[in-house]
Amino acid sequence: MKSIRRLGMALGTTSLVLGTVTVGATSMAQTALAASKFHACVVTDTGGINDKSFNASAWKGLEDAKKVFKNMTIKYLSSTSSTDYVPNINNFVHQGCGIIVTVGFLMDKATAQAANAHPKQRIAIVDDAPTTKSKNVLSLQYETDQGGFLGGVLAAGMTRTGTVATYGGMNFPAVTLYMNGFVAGVRYYDKTYGAAVKALGWTPGKGACSLAKCAGDGSFIGNFTDQTAGKTLTTNFFSQGADIVFPVAGSVGLGSVAAAQQAGKGHSVMWVDSNGCVSDPADCSWFVGTVAKGVESSVKAAVLSAAKGTFKGGVYVGTLKNNGTALEYGGITVPKALKAKIAKAKAAIIAGSLSVNPNSYPAK
Amino acid sequence: MRLELRGITKRFGSFTANDRIDLTVEPGQIHSLLGENGAGKTTLMNVLFGLLHPDEGEILIDGEPVRFANSGDAVRRGIGMVHQHFMLVPVFSVTENVVLGFEPTKSLDRVDYKRATADIVRLSQQFNLQVDPDATVENLPVGLQQRVEILKALSRDAELLILDEPTAVLTPQETDALMAIMRSLAAAGKSILFITHKLKEVRAVADVITVIRDGRVVGSAEPTATESELASLMVGRDVELTVEKSAFSPGESVFEIRDLVVRDDRGLVKVNGVSLDVRAGEIMALAGVQGNGQTELVEAIAGMRHVESGTILLNGRDVTNRTPREVLDAGLGHIPEDRQRDGLVMSMSVADNLVLNTPRRAPFARRGTRNLAAVHDNAVRLAHDFDIRTTSVEEPVSSLSGGNQQKVIVARELSRPLEFLMASQPTRGLDVGSIEYVHRQVVNHRNQGNAALIVSSELDEVLALGDRIAVMFDGRISGIVEPTASREAIGLLMAGTTGAADE
Amino acid sequence: MSDLSTDPQAPASAPSAPAAPARRRWRLNSRSPIMITFYALILGLVVGALVIITTTPAVLDSWRGIFHSGTGIFRALKVTWDNVGAAYRSMFNGAVVNPANLWHSITTGQGWEATLTPLSETLTYATPLIITSLGVGIAFQTGLFNIGANGQAVLGGVTGAVVGSMVHVPMIVHLPLTLACGFAGGALAGLVPGFLKAYTGAHEVIVTIMFNYVIYAFLLFSVLSTPFQQPGQQNDISRTMDSSAQLHPLFGAASGLRVNYGIVVAALAVAFAWWFLERSSMGFDFRVTGANPAAAKASGINAKVVIILVFVISGGLSGLAGVVQVASTTHYIDGGFLIGSAGIGFTAITVALLGRNKPGGIVWASLLFAALGVGGRAMQGTTGIPLDLASVIQSAIVLFVATPVLVKEIFRLRAAPVVKLELATKGWGA
């Protein structure tokens, strides 16, 4: 033990010497690199830029921004685990990126750490309610319960069996916020139009939902990859009488599509995050709609603001109003009357006169 | 077929394994290649079978020079080889094994088993090689498996058969049967190259004997030569075939087993009520044909196999169903039957193998840390005392010849404080020099007033070493005789005829 | 086995005796594991280059240009060279040192952080990898496959992080306690498969693989449904470890260098593993059991005890690696901790094989893998070539190391006769 401590002291002394030398050296290297072009960089989560989900959407946002702002190079680094976040962000800090986009709440701490260590570094973090406020961090949040609400109204209006269902990948707020809004939409439809549509797969908890906390019980796969489990669960819902299923579980949802195809016409799927008819056109006829999250557009806006020098830290909240979340129709024809009901609800939510909290519409 | 080897030389680096070897095998002749382990016999056969390429010299078949790129070439030229370790698929039938790789086919590439079976039956009858073509190989006794190998070679039209140490795995009866087969093959015009180091067999069956030593042909002999003549040719010195023993004066009983019952892995009773005692200053030899329960008995004594009932006493202490460690600590020295499997760790150094069962004993370790210097010194000393020939004691034991490997085990066991030495088939597969050496060590041990149990299926060994000879048959002791008993008497006991015992 | 190898009766006056010393040296060289690994590394980089060439549009276009737009073959070669060169240069710069930065630091005395970061990152990544690989290597040396190292690392990380974040004592107690609990967690995760193997004969590969999933599920449970979850969070994220339980950066947080006291832990683990395998009596029992279980039994070694102890030690080291990983970098655990492609327990299997299960070899193999991983990251950041290329190179190296005959063939190493001899005489007896 003694010898270990001595070793530690020796190393500590060295660190002091080195520490004094390093001060102020990095900023110089940064400016040297950054002078010529604007670099927009994204650190993805473990999914990588081809995950057909948020990471892909964030990367798409960068690509879209590059089309607008020509003098821009875009780069990405994918993380293989949470231990990669800090070095990946640091890597881009050292490369002099004009803005670094980080994806997902799991990067919250690493992002805050980098933001505090490099107060001039502009950072945008997707889908996170930051636990530490930093002036140079823009947090992109999406009130997906608003979009989910409209999805619930659509499903309730479309169902022929009087039962709809939802399930999630895992019991996280980013997932359950959708499901909560969906159930609220169904209940709102029941109450407003005197219907008796049942929503399976999610029982809202008490209180309102936010990106940091959205409690309740429901059906979860346990991951975002097991399509077979998604198919099994969906078939299960069908046998309980449901005909429309809303999976909030990334690619697991493809299992639901397979289940609907197997069950045959009259069964459909509500897609999530990005328009199903665009990302998976072959299955468009099985999608009744998509509850979308505006990751691309918000990332693009954040990058462009950084490039133009108008970047400001804080919180961006994606709502129905600013298209940060939306309901998009799929390949199944929706009656005009129902579309009108949905438009009415949307307007009311934007106006703030309609609650998306399911507890406002107690289940019968 | 007439095979001629002219000046075959094969080197490995600086080591010459075969040095200008000349050899001629005439048609219908049984030509015996006799030599100690490490003399270069196997290398020569690998050259002849196309597995190695000679650096110099040539091979002639019926006067025509041939070159074998691989064993397939050799097979096509009529050379068949029966390996010491059989190259058979255990779960296939005899027919399937024989035709493997050379299947006769019908239309659509289907194997023509009918024709294959007919061929085998014809060959069996022609050469007196009875074996059921539909039997599964793994169910056959070793002797019959060997017949399948021979059939395999014959079915590929072999004119010359190479038999590499064919009797090493056989019982005496099976050996006799093999000899008969060899004679009938020779009578049918096949040539046989018979590799062995067993003098008795050579004299019994060979037409011509060539002796090689250190990679060179050192002489040829007629089968009429005496065993000691052949032995001196092989080892280059006169060999003592009998062991000098001091007068027999047994002391107290050191080791005793009473009514022991042991089952094998399949649950069959293999040792069925064996009682035996060994006294200080005595060698008890346990004779018997392999497979009559000796292996299970030895394993049970060593703590490696569960004892169903009965007791084992070592120096008065009950060691029944104790762990191997406890039995070893109680003073058992064990030279196992399968030395490479149970006695040595082939990839480890000679030095480590010499402390294999005493790694924690002073001075080899202190408080859990090994003292490698002590281990090394111990090895150097034992290598000298027990004549273990190795370039360095830090070499892996796999680099030693079989005899030297056995010496490592003997050295390890005899260098520990022992009450009782148990040696199972201690000289199997060893050359004459090593056999003599091991025998002398065992006798020394006994002469110092210690007890020993020697389990052997070699009658010569049993007779040379034993002060008393117990014979085991079908899980029981069929009799205990004095070493002066006749071979016939012991043979009868080994065949299970009880009541012929002298005692 | 063979009657050809070191035979004491070999004639002393062999005709080729004068050439012998030189030949022996050559043979030793070309057969030595270090040289094989070195050649395998080169071949791995060649394979990587081929992947770059066949997947980089700019390079492919330049070659297509020879036929279509008439640009010369030299231009195509130059483009190829530039791209491959840039990739490997960025890899080296990102994993070892950027020469430009180094020159800048030496001449001006500034910018040491940027200069030393690559090395620091490589060491940071190598630290837990070394420790896990030692655990896997010890199991291998005993003839047992510990495929469960990843689960053991996860459980070690969880137990360590629980103690590190929920027990509050001074550092002198806290840090050792945290590390010990990590070791204990991994050892516990190893004990179960070890026990099943020893007493029921269950195959350790199956059991350890399956046990990984049990532990992954437990990990999620622990960060989602227990007080270990970060208060105020519903996401799968744990509490943060106290500063007193963390392995702090060697040169202080202000240095920006992440290399940390974890390497002291790793060094101690290496020293322990070396002593254990090469010098301890118990390690001797382990190696005997691994090399020949039958002889081990006959020599009085209790196989059951050995099997259980192997899994306890192997699992304990993996668990230690897990807690070192948390305590040195993130200080918290999330639901994806060490799962998927980040699973050091799986990388450790290849690292242990590459390092031939020897502590020294494992250190070098870990550093190599860490450098390829860290360098691959830098390469992705600067050139846009996917990080997966690093995995391709890693895999290719292991492949080539596993097939030394192929490497020798490619580099025309004339050690072939020796190899053939070994093959030809295997199982032939004498």
Side-chain angles (χ1 to χ4, degrees):
Chain A
M1 205 55 219
K2 221 174 221 171
S3 60
I4 298 169
R5 262 163 70 200
R6 216 176 295 139
L7 177 62
M9 276 163 68
L11 291 166
T13 332
T14 330
S15 75
L16 277 178
V17 179
L18 277 172
T20 43
V21 191
T22 49
V23 177
T26 46
S27 54
M28 172 184 158
Q30 272 171 246
T31 41
L33 275 166
S36 54
K37 261 187 159 182
F38 182 82
H39 296 262
C41 310
V42 60
V43 176
T44 73
D45 203 340
T46 51
I49 59 163
N50 293 321
D51 70 343
K52 299 195 170 167
S53 181
F54 301 154
N55 294 308
S57 301
W59 180 242
K60 183 84 188 341
L62 259 65
E63 287 179 328
D64 289 350
K66 183 177 158 63
K67 282 176 198 152
V68 177
F69 193 90
K70 298 289 180 199
N71 194 21
M72 181 189 289
T73 51
I74 55 174
K75 295 175 172 179
Y76 74 93
L77 270 177
S78 34
S79 308
T80 48
S81 80
S82 47
T83 54
D84 289 347
Y85 301 153
V86 170
N88 279 346
I89 296 171
N90 284 343
N91 197 317
F92 277 147
V93 171
H94 286 293
Q95 285 194 36
C97 291
I99 183 170
I100 299 172
V101 179
T102 57
V103 183
F105 70 87
L106 285 175
M107 282 195 220
D108 179 69
K109 282 190 181 170
T111 304
Q113 200 183 323
N116 294 337
H118 308 278
K120 291 196 169 156
Q121 177 66 53
R122 284 154 295 196
I123 303 177
I125 179 161
V126 175
D127 223 10
D128 178 48
T131 43
T132 9
K133 297 272 179 279
S134 317
K135 278 185 178 166
N136 49 336
V137 174
L138 174 66
S139 136
L140 309 173
Q141 299 174 21
Y142 311 90
E143 293 188 346
T144 49
D145 47 350
Q146 294 188 356
F149 187 93
L150 298 187
V153 175
L154 172 62
M158 289 295 285
T159 178
R160 289 181 193 150
T161 59
T163 306
V164 297
T166 180
Y167 68 88
M170 284 173 131
N171 194 347
F172 302 150
V175 170
T176 54
L177 199 58
Y178 276 109
M179 297 163 74
N180 208 54
F182 180 82
V183 171
V186 174
R187 289 184 182 178
Y188 157 82
Y189 187 88
D190 284 0
K191 188 183 169 197
T192 313
Y193 301 105
V197 176
K198 270 198 300 182
L200 306 174
W202 177 249
T203 312
K206 291 184 179 111
C209 267
S210 73
L211 206 52
K213 201 162 175 66
C214 186
D217 291 321
S219 302
F220 296 94
I221 297 295
N223 58 58
F224 293 90
T225 49
D226 189 350
Q227 297 182 16
T228 314
K231 187 177 172 186
T232 310
L233 183 57
T234 305
T235 307
N236 213 342
F237 281 138
F238 288 159
S239 66
Q240 290 177 52
D243 59 349
I244 300 175
V245 171
F246 177 41
V248 190
S251 60
V252 174
L254 292 172
S256 291
V257 176
Q261 285 164 346
Q262 192 177 313
K265 259 201 142 19
H267 298 84
S268 59
V269 173
M270 175 106 57
W271 201 243
V272 74
D273 289 340
S274 60
N275 195 330
C277 284
V278 176
S279 62
D280 184 16
D283 294 322
C284 188
S285 60
W286 298 95
F287 293 129
V288 67
T290 299
V291 179
K293 184 188 265 190
V295 175
E296 286 175 32
S297 56
S298 54
V299 167
K300 178 185 170 188
V303 169
L304 286 176
S305 71
K308 289 171 184 154
T310 58
F311 179 90
K312 269 173 107 175
V315 177
Y316 157 92
V317 180
T319 59
L320 286 176
K321 188 179 178 183
N322 63 10
N323 273 332
T325 176
L327 175 71
E328 289 161 17
Y329 293 110
I332 295 170
T333 318
V334 178
K336 270 198 181 134
L338 182 56
K339 281 190 175 173
K341 290 173 186 169
I342 291 168
K344 188 181 154 202
K346 181 178 176 182
I349 293 169
I350 291 173
S353 60
L354 189 59
S355 164
V356 295
N357 184 350
N359 296 321
S360 315
Y361 318 97
K364 282 163 201 161
Chain B
M1 180 166 80
R2 184 177 192 273
L3 173 84
E4 196 178 349
L5 304 181
R6 277 194 203 150
I8 296 290
T9 300
K10 180 68 196 172
R11 295 187 198 92
F12 298 105
S14 59
F15 172 58
T16 308
N18 288 160
D19 191 2
R20 285 160 289 160
I21 289 192
D22 297 320
L23 193 76
T24 307
V25 187
E26 301 290 345
Q29 189 183 59
I30 300 177
H31 192 127
S32 187
L33 192 62
L34 188 65
E36 280 195 290
N37 293 334
K41 294 171 303 201
T42 300
T43 305
L44 187 65
M45 289 313 106
N46 285 351
V47 166
L48 180 51
F49 200 52
L51 294 167
L52 291 172
H53 304 292
D55 296 318
E56 287 162 30
E58 54 181 354
I59 303 171
L60 292 93
I61 290 180
D62 295 330
E64 176 198 345
V66 289
R67 274 192 61 84
F68 299 143
N70 50 50
S71 56
D73 283 357
V75 170
R76 273 185 288 279
R77 291 309 302 256
I79 296 178
M81 183 138 176
V82 176
H83 299 275
Q84 189 176 349
H85 302 278
F86 304 146
M87 308 285 176
L88 298 171
V89 185
V91 295
F92 278 17
S93 74
V94 169
T95 306
E96 285 167 332
N97 266 291
V98 169
V99 299
L100 194 66
F102 292 81
E103 299 90 348
T105 49
K106 301 188 281 194
S107 60
L108 298 174
D109 205 36
R110 285 170 300 161
V111 176
D112 190 345
Y113 282 110
K114 216 177 249 171
R115 209 173 90 205
T117 308
D119 285 350
I120 290 167
V121 170
R122 184 178 50 76
L123 282 171
S124 308
Q125 283 166 352
Q126 192 181 343
F127 298 106
N128 207 20
L129 283 160
Q130 275 74 21
V131 54
D132 175 9
D134 297 323
T136 305
V137 161
E138 63 183 346
N139 296 334
L140 295 177
V142 173
L144 288 186
Q145 291 190 13
Q146 193 172 51
R147 283 188 194 180
V148 178
E149 281 279 14
I150 296 172
L151 274 174
K152 207 165 122 182
L154 292 174
S155 75
R156 285 144 176 71
D157 300 324
E159 288 301 315
L160 174 84
L161 272 177
I162 305 171
L163 303 177
D164 187 7
E165 302 274 2
T167 58
V169 288
L170 300 185
T171 63
Q173 290 84 351
E174 286 174 332
T175 303
D176 290 344
L178 177 68
M179 301 277 174
I181 289 167
M182 284 165 69
R183 286 195 198 96
S184 74
L185 286 169
K190 308 275 183 195
S191 315
I192 293 174
L193 198 47
F194 174 42
I195 304 168
T196 188
H197 58 253
K198 292 188 181 168
L199 306 175
K200 210 167 259 129
E201 293 167 6
V202 167
R203 294 183 59 225
V205 78
D207 296 319
V208 181
I209 302 166
T210 297
V211 182
I212 68 172
R213 188 172 79 224
D214 293 345
R216 292 191 200 93
V217 173
V218 290
S220 40
E222 296 294 313
T224 49
T226 65
E227 283 188 30
S228 53
E229 281 168 4
L230 290 173
S232 355
L233 266 177
M234 266 168 77
V235 300
R237 63 193 143 95
D238 288 325
V239 180
E240 233 177 324
L241 272 178
T242 48
V243 193
E244 292 266 352
K245 291 201 287 191
S246 61
F248 179 46
S249 56
E252 291 288 295
S253 172
V254 171
F255 174 79
E256 203 178 334
I257 47 182
R258 279 193 220 120
D259 303 323
L260 212 61
V261 177
V262 181
R263 291 176 188 273
D264 69 3
D265 291 338
R266 290 180 297 169
L268 303 173
V269 173
K270 279 304 190 122
V271 177
N272 195 359
V274 165
S275 298
L276 208 61
D277 73 302
V278 186
R279 292 164 291 179
E282 176 184 58
I283 296 176
M284 169 70 88
L286 186 63
V289 176
Q290 274 278 279
N292 276 292
Q294 299 99 315
T295 307
E296 288 76 14
L297 176 65
V298 165
E299 286 178 353
I301 293 170
M304 293 159 67
R305 184 172 286 281
H306 182 75
V307 173
E308 183 129 319
S309 66
T311 46
I312 306 171
L313 296 171
L314 185 50
N315 249 352
R317 280 177 56 195
D318 188 345
V319 292
T320 318
N321 281 332
R322 292 305 166 95
T323 63
R325 161 92 4 243
E326 287 169 317
V327 180
L328 291 172
D329 286 345
L332 172 77
H334 180 203
I335 299 173
E337 177 181 331
D338 187 336
R339 70 183 77 99
Q340 295 191 348
R341 196 191 71 189
D342 294 325
L344 296 168
V345 180
M346 298 303 278
S347 58
M348 286 183 147
S349 70
V350 173
D352 279 346
N353 272 286
L354 282 168
V355 296
L356 200 62
N357 49 25
T358 53
R360 284 183 175 74
R361 205 165 280 192
F364 306 137
R366 260 190 71 204
R367 274 179 279 144
T369 302
R370 302 181 69 211
N371 181 348
L372 294 189
V375 171
H376 181 87
D377 292 347
N378 171 66
V380 170
R381 188 171 50 78
L382 291 180
H384 176 261
D385 291 355
F386 287 81
D387 190 32
I388 301 166
R389 299 195 196 167
T390 172
T391 47
S392 155
V393 294
E394 302 302 332
E395 289 284 315
V397 83
S398 59
S399 70
L400 303 191
S401 66
N404 280 302
Q405 288 176 4
Q406 187 72 330
K407 285 181 192 171
V408 170
I409 298 178
V410 171
R412 178 179 73 213
E413 298 306 314
L414 292 182
S415 62
R416 300 192 288 130
L418 286 191
E419 306 294 338
F420 175 58
L421 175 72
M422 176 167 69
S424 191
Q425 314 290 357
T427 59
R428 173 183 284 177
L430 299 192
D431 55 83
V432 175
S434 302
I435 291 173
E436 187 194 342
Y437 184 84
V438 170
H439 283 178
R440 200 156 350 114
Q441 290 298 332
V442 172
V443 170
N444 279 348
H445 173 76
R446 168 251 194 207
N447 288 351
Q448 287 158 20
N450 295 310
L453 177 68
I454 306 299
V455 181
S456 175
S457 49
E458 304 262 352
L459 210 49
D460 289 338
E461 182 162 82
V462 167
L463 290 167
L465 289 178
D467 294 313
R468 285 191 295 159
I469 298 167
V471 184
M472 200 162 173
F473 176 78
D474 198 20
R476 298 170 191 276
I477 301 292
S478 54
I480 297 180
V481 298
E482 300 295 320
T484 49
S486 69
R487 281 170 177 269
E488 288 68 33
I490 296 176
L492 282 173
L493 286 173
M494 284 168 79
T497 320
T498 41
D502 294 355
E503 288 188 350
Chain C
M1 286 300 291
S2 149
D3 60 347
L4 307 168
S5 39
T6 356
D7 193 313
Q9 294 155 8
S13 57
S16 58
R23 185 180 290 197
R24 179 164 300 162
R25 198 160 52 237
W26 171 238
R27 194 188 297 164
L28 196 84
N29 261 343
S30 54
R31 288 185 79 195
S32 97
I34 296 166
M35 289 311 287
I36 294 288
T37 311
F38 175 72
Y39 289 127
L41 172 62
I42 292 177
L43 287 173
L45 292 176
V46 170
V47 169
L50 289 176
V51 173
I52 295 173
I53 290 166
T54 49
T55 56
T56 310
V59 178
L60 289 178
D61 286 346
S62 74
W63 284 100
R64 232 176 270 131
I66 299 175
F67 305 105
H68 296 296
S69 50
T71 48
I73 191 163
F74 291 106
R75 209 190 87 81
L77 281 172
K78 186 180 179 305
V79 171
T80 307
W81 178 254
D82 286 350
N83 273 276
V84 174
Y88 284 149
R89 207 177 313 116
S90 61
M91 224 170 175
F92 179 84
N93 291 351
V96 186
V97 71
N98 183 336
N101 283 356
L102 181 64
W103 181 245
H104 172 77
S105 299
I106 289 172
T107 48
T108 65
Q110 291 192 322
W112 284 106
E113 182 194 341
T115 306
L116 294 175
T117 293
L119 219 49
S120 153
E121 283 300 306
T122 299
L123 288 172
T124 307
Y125 270 84
T127 302
L129 192 54
I130 289 171
I131 304 173
T132 327
S133 307
L134 290 172
V136 175
I138 285 177
F140 271 134
Q141 286 240 15
T142 319
L144 293 168
F145 290 80
N146 182 8
I147 313 295
N150 210 52
Q152 291 146 12
V154 169
L155 196 59
V158 171
T159 44
V162 166
V163 172
S165 62
M166 297 171 75
V167 174
H168 309 289
V169 283
M171 186 170 207
I172 187 88
V173 182
H174 205 182
L175 185 56
L177 182 72
T178 302
L179 295 176
C181 286
F183 187 95
L188 185 72
L191 180 67
V192 177
F195 188 83
L196 289 175
K197 164 92 179 172
Y199 283 94
T200 71
H203 200 290
E204 78 273 13
V205 170
I206 312 282
V207 176
T208 49
I209 288 178
M210 290 305 152
F211 216 61
N212 279 341
Y213 292 101
V214 175
I215 292 168
Y216 297 163
F218 175 77
L219 163 72
L220 261 184
F221 166 77
S222 73
V223 293
L224 276 175
S225 315
T226 66
F228 182 44
Q229 186 181 28
Q230 174 90 10
Q233 268 284 0
Q234 196 196 340
N235 292 315
D236 56 339
I237 200 160
S238 81
R239 289 168 183 265
T240 302
M241 292 168 80
D242 292 2
S243 174
S244 56
Q246 295 178 5
L247 289 162
H248 290 279
L250 276 180
F251 305 115
S255 69
L257 300 175
R258 295 203 307 156
V259 59
N260 56 73
Y261 285 97
I263 64 171
V264 177
V265 179
L268 291 173
V270 171
F272 166 77
W274 179 84
W275 169 82
F276 186 81
L277 283 173
E278 307 289 330
R279 289 288 180 275
S280 77
S281 305
M282 194 193 286
F284 182 73
D285 286 355
F286 278 33
R287 284 189 293 135
V288 170
T289 308
N292 185 348
K297 186 181 175 191
S299 321
I301 295 171
N302 187 333
K304 287 186 171 65
V305 171
V306 166
I307 289 169
I308 291 174
L309 278 176
V310 168
F311 272 99
V312 165
I313 291 174
S314 181
L317 283 170
S318 300
L320 183 63
V323 68
V324 163
Q325 174 85 70
V326 197
S328 65
T329 52
T330 53
H331 310 134
Y332 65 87
I333 279 180
D334 62 50
F337 176 65
L338 295 186
I339 291 174
S341 55
I344 49 170
F346 297 113
T347 315
I349 295 168
T350 30
V351 167
L353 288 174
L354 189 61
R356 278 153 222 275
N357 303 323
K358 301 256 198 278
I362 282 172
V363 170
W364 288 113
S366 300
L367 287 171
L368 177 63
F369 266 50
L372 285 168
V374 171
R377 191 174 313 286
M379 177 185 68
Q380 186 187 49
T382 31
T383 65
I385 294 170
L387 180 56
D388 307 296
L389 184 73
S391 317
V392 170
I393 296 173
Q394 286 172 344
S395 317
I397 292 171
V398 174
L399 194 71
F400 286 120
V401 165
T403 51
V405 177
L406 186 63
V407 174
K408 282 172 186 159
E409 213 42 54
I410 292 172
F411 284 97
R412 306 234 166 262
L413 301 178
R414 284 284 154 238
V418 179
V419 176
K420 272 188 188 151
L421 163 65
E422 284 166 359
L423 292 176
T425 56
K426 201 154 233 175
W428 283 61

